[in-house]
Amino acid sequence: MTWAGRVVNVESRRTSRQALIVMEAQFVDESGEGRLVWFIHRRGRGPLPRAPVSPGAYAVVSGNAKRGARGVELHSVTLDVHGGGKDSLPAPGSELPPQPVYALTDGVTHTRLVGWIKAALERHTPMEWLDDPILRAANVPPLNEAVRALHLPHSVSEVEPARRRVALEEIVSVYTDAISRKEAAQAAPAPRCLSERLSGSDFHERLPFTLTPGQCQAIETLAAEMGRRRPMRRLLLGDVGSGKTVVAAYGALSAVLAGYQALLLAPTRILAEQHARTLSRLLAPWGCPVHLVTSDLTGEERGRVVAQACEGRAALFVGTQALFAADVAFPNIAFAVVDEQHRFGVAQREALLQLGPLHLLSMSATPIPRTLAHVLFADTDVTILQGRPPGRVPVDTRWIHPSQRRELYAFLRREVKRSRQAYVVFPRVEADDDGVGGVIVEAKSLADQELADVRVGLVHGQQSPSEQERTMAAFVAGRIDVLVATTVIEVGVDVPNASVMVIESADQFGLAQLHQLRGRVGRGTHQGYCLLVTDPQSERAKRRIQALRTTDDGLSLAELDLELRGPGEFFGVRQSGRSEFKVVRPSVDQDLFRLVSKLSPEALKKAPRVEGAARS
């Protein structure tokens, strides 16, 4: 809210917290009066801080409007004091210029900061570096106009084009960084992973199941790229249960049979153990050694595995970040897999690439819309794994009204009596202001009431990693019937016996998250059920829930999620391993992503690095 008027009086009072002072100013205009409120931290025992404004001052104020005990209140107030008196204020009914809101620190007021910014813009004009045709195609102003409009706008209509100009800067920064990484990766040759012992048909025939056409195509792509000296950089995107692991198995086997070492990096110990078991079984016909490396590996067994790694023995090493321990080395590395790559940051990726020139396969079940993928993964070739293994029954997805919870949990108990397991997911750990329960309280309530006759476990993000892993291990082992959780379980272990996924307050999740959670069930021979408990009020929310009920294609859902969700809510970018954008709004800036992805690297050679932009 922005308001023009006069300060009548100013008063201050202490709170129960001695270091916190509340200052209030009575503010009036022709329509009435209200109060301006500041919460100010007092340092030491010195005098009270000076009030941000004096009685009698005319000003334009902006802030968060609230209904207080004495009428309208403005909090987080910013001021534009008009020394010319009443006549200097904007005329009644005129459009007031928008006021930027800055994050302030002790001793810096909004007025002082705005003064500094004005002085800086008067002395220095940011230089435009993008060519005019690019600016015209993006329909954005030059950089100097955009920076001025963001800090000192004359009208609201200036702000959005200015934001888009800075967003274009961020997107270009991400794109050029990715291109630079791609060029650097190709500077040194990688080992050629060819072996007479392995052919595509031989690999297919020795597997205990039939590959899908998508898996066959992905394996053919890996075989061609790993047979060259040029380092492979490939991202394998596929829905939960689409069969990404067998593609990784082929790559690892190619490297090991050619005499090299291979790694598979997983985000959790349980997932690493699961991969080690699965890959040991798949690769047994070729006698491929598979070693597990986690923080739990100690003593003589750890010494043996570390020795084989450091000696360069050809084998597949599966593990967590323990693979990067100081005493572990892989001098003969040729191939690496990063599973659930969005769970790892820049440091882990760099540590992996520091091992030497190698072929790198990243895998993720997080669907990324094509619009964004061309820019976010410009340093990587992307394979989208379509289809699912034969015999996998689609999950039955249903929309459940909250009034039907009794019937829902009765159904869940029946599934447990049939020796099945289930998940119940809540959106947050603690209850929110809207009364949606937190997982801790709700887990106890379920264990005491609706699920009193079954074994209930709890896992959430505020628990320690070891506590989370103990609970998940108990669920995998069948010692827990119903696991109550937050979204920490959206990426993780394969529990074929889990048949029911209950998602409470489903409208508070993104479509990509809901799709990921749904993928946790129906992974075995039993019919899977995903029960979405919600009472959506808007047509947009209803459309999202209906879309999840009618399609199981993750990429299509990601595209819809990008279209429907508001700025700052988009799931894919945040979960793609990149830092969050500061200015870019993926839901409304798709045209900028498309524009940048079509630009040649030569057109962007003079791109500056933008601090705070997304990085991989």
Side-chain angles (χ1 to χ4, degrees):
M1 176 179 177
T2 300
W3 192 3
R6 181 170 61 91
V7 177
V8 175
N9 66 351
V10 180
E11 58 186 31
S12 62
R13 55 184 171 86
R14 290 183 173 86
T15 66
S16 57
R17 294 168 55 190
Q18 292 298 315
L20 186 64
I21 304 297
V22 178
M23 288 192 176
E24 296 182 342
Q26 185 180 3
F27 196 72
V28 300
D29 68 358
E30 295 178 355
S31 65
E33 66 176 63
R35 305 188 75 78
L36 313 180
V37 181
W38 294 270
F39 296 93
I40 300 175
H41 288 274
R42 180 186 183 187
R43 293 184 174 181
R45 297 181 176 274
L48 290 177
R50 182 180 176 183
V53 66
S54 302
Y58 287 88
V60 174
V61 299
S62 299
N64 299 324
K66 298 183 178 181
R67 177 66 64 180
R70 290 184 283 181
V72 176
E73 295 180 352
L74 283 190
H75 290 228
S76 302
V77 179
T78 61
L79 287 160
D80 183 10
V81 179
H82 288 243
K86 182 177 181 181
D87 293 339
S88 67
L89 293 177
S94 63
E95 179 184 357
L96 297 175
Q99 298 292 317
V101 177
Y102 299 102
L104 302 175
T105 188
D106 286 349
V108 179
T109 65
H110 178 268
T111 302
R112 181 178 297 179
L113 181 58
V114 169
W116 292 339
I117 291 172
K118 285 181 178 179
L121 291 177
E122 289 172 357
R123 296 177 184 178
H124 174 71
T125 300
M127 293 182 61
E128 182 57 74
W129 59 273
L130 285 174
D131 294 332
D132 286 342
I134 297 176
L135 298 180
R136 287 196 298 270
N139 193 26
V140 295
L143 185 59
N144 62 329
E145 294 182 15
V147 172
R148 193 272 311 160
L150 287 173
H151 291 285
L152 306 169
H154 298 305
S155 65
V156 173
S157 61
E158 290 184 319
V159 175
E160 179 59 12
R163 182 202 66 80
R164 281 171 52 82
R165 172 60 187 86
V166 180
L168 179 63
E169 193 107 352
E170 284 193 319
I171 296 171
V172 168
S173 177
V174 170
Y175 188 57
T176 53
D177 279 357
I179 291 174
S180 298
R181 287 194 303 272
K182 188 172 187 178
E183 293 173 349
Q186 296 172 357
R192 297 180 66 197
C193 297
L194 297 173
S195 173
E196 295 180 356
R197 295 179 55 195
L198 181 64
S199 66
S201 59
D202 177 58
F203 183 75
H204 295 194
E205 291 169 1
R206 295 196 187 190
L207 291 173
F209 48 79
T210 302
L211 295 175
T212 66
Q215 289 172 317
C216 292
Q217 182 60 50
I219 287 171
E220 289 177 11
T221 300
L222 254 65
E225 293 184 334
M226 294 179 64
R228 296 195 295 258
R229 300 284 287 174
R230 177 183 175 182
M232 179 186 74
R233 296 290 183 271
R234 184 160 292 277
L235 171 65
L236 184 62
L237 288 174
D239 279 345
V240 175
S242 60
K244 298 183 293 295
T245 303
V246 72
V247 178
Y250 177 84
L253 183 61
S254 297
V256 173
L257 293 185
Y260 298 106
Q261 293 175 309
L263 300 184
L264 189 150
L265 176 64
T268 66
R269 177 180 60 83
I270 292 177
L271 190 54
E273 291 174 348
Q274 174 185 297
H275 278 313
R277 289 192 298 269
T278 300
L279 292 167
S280 294
R281 184 176 69 252
L282 291 178
L283 302 182
W286 292 271
C288 176
V290 178
H291 303 299
L292 179 65
V293 183
T294 67
S295 58
D296 287 355
L297 190 65
T298 58
E300 184 177 328
E301 176 64 14
R302 188 180 191 280
R304 182 184 65 81
V305 172
V306 170
Q308 294 198 25
C310 295
E311 292 168 6
R313 300 279 186 88
L316 169 59
F317 297 85
V318 179
T320 58
Q321 295 185 53
L323 290 166
F324 302 128
D327 61 338
V328 181
F330 299 96
N332 192 27
I333 185 72
F335 176 70
V337 182
V338 181
D339 189 27
E340 302 300 349
Q341 58 91 29
H342 61 275
R343 297 285 293 272
F344 295 97
V346 177
Q348 290 85 359
R349 178 188 172 96
E350 291 302 318
L352 194 58
L353 296 179
Q354 288 299 318
L355 296 175
L358 49 80
H359 301 289
L360 177 63
L361 177 67
S362 300
M363 302 194 302
S364 178
T366 301
I368 307 295
R370 298 177 182 88
T371 311
L372 308 186
H374 289 301
V375 171
L376 296 177
F377 302 111
D379 61 333
T380 306
D381 297 308
V382 179
T383 293
I384 298 177
L385 191 57
Q386 304 283 10
R388 62 181 65 210
R392 193 67 69 81
V393 180
V395 175
D396 185 349
T397 304
R398 303 185 185 186
W399 178 355
I400 306 296
H401 191 274
S403 62
Q404 299 174 294
R405 278 197 181 94
R406 177 173 295 184
E407 294 86 345
L408 181 156
Y409 284 107
F411 169 76
L412 191 153
R413 290 195 302 273
R414 289 196 296 271
E415 284 291 293
V416 170
K417 289 181 179 180
R418 298 172 64 193
S419 300
R420 312 281 191 266
Q421 291 168 279
Y423 301 91
V424 179
V425 176
F426 288 85
R428 56 186 54 83
V429 177
E430 306 289 348
D432 67 2
D433 294 337
D434 295 328
V436 177
V439 71
I440 298 175
V441 172
E442 295 295 341
K444 185 177 188 308
S445 175
L446 288 172
D448 292 342
Q449 299 177 43
E450 289 91 343
L451 303 178
D453 54 343
V454 303
R455 297 170 297 179
V456 176
L458 171 64
V459 63
H460 57 78
Q462 291 185 9
Q463 295 172 328
S464 66
S466 59
E467 188 176 0
Q468 292 180 36
E469 290 191 348
R470 282 196 301 271
T471 304
M472 291 299 300
F475 187 65
V476 171
R479 297 192 299 274
I480 291 175
D481 300 313
V482 178
L483 185 61
V484 183
T486 57
T487 54
V488 294
I489 56 96
E490 69 187 342
V491 172
V493 296
D494 182 7
V495 185
N497 193 48
S499 65
V500 181
M501 169 64 69
V502 177
I503 306 176
E504 290 278 359
S505 302
D507 57 302
Q508 297 193 23
F509 296 85
L511 277 177
Q513 278 184 306
L514 293 171
H515 183 61
Q516 288 269 63
L517 291 168
R518 175 169 61 182
R520 292 294 107 210
V521 298
R523 301 171 68 87
T525 57
H526 312 306
Q527 173 67 58
Y529 300 91
C530 180
L531 308 177
L532 309 170
V533 185
T534 180
D535 182 19
Q537 300 300 307
S538 70
E539 288 303 316
R540 187 176 67 171
K542 292 176 182 178
R543 183 180 171 191
R544 292 174 60 247
I545 297 299
Q546 188 62 27
L548 195 74
R549 292 189 60 241
T550 56
T551 182
D552 61 358
D553 177 46
L555 190 57
S556 297
L557 291 171
E559 299 281 359
L560 181 61
D561 213 15
L562 181 59
E563 173 190 342
L564 294 179
R565 305 197 79 193
E569 297 177 329
F570 179 63
F571 174 75
V573 173
R574 202 166 56 247
Q575 299 293 353
S576 66
R578 270 68 178 172
S579 302
E580 288 188 66
F581 286 112
K582 303 300 182 185
V583 180
V584 173
R585 297 175 178 175
S587 56
V588 297
D589 292 334
Q590 296 182 59
D591 62 317
L592 298 183
F593 280 94
R594 283 192 292 267
L595 172 64
V596 172
S597 68
K598 294 176 182 177
L599 296 175
S600 66
E602 290 71 24
L604 302 171
K605 285 297 184 182
K606 49 186 178 179
R609 286 184 173 271
V610 181
E611 291 301 323
R615 297 280 189 249
S616 73

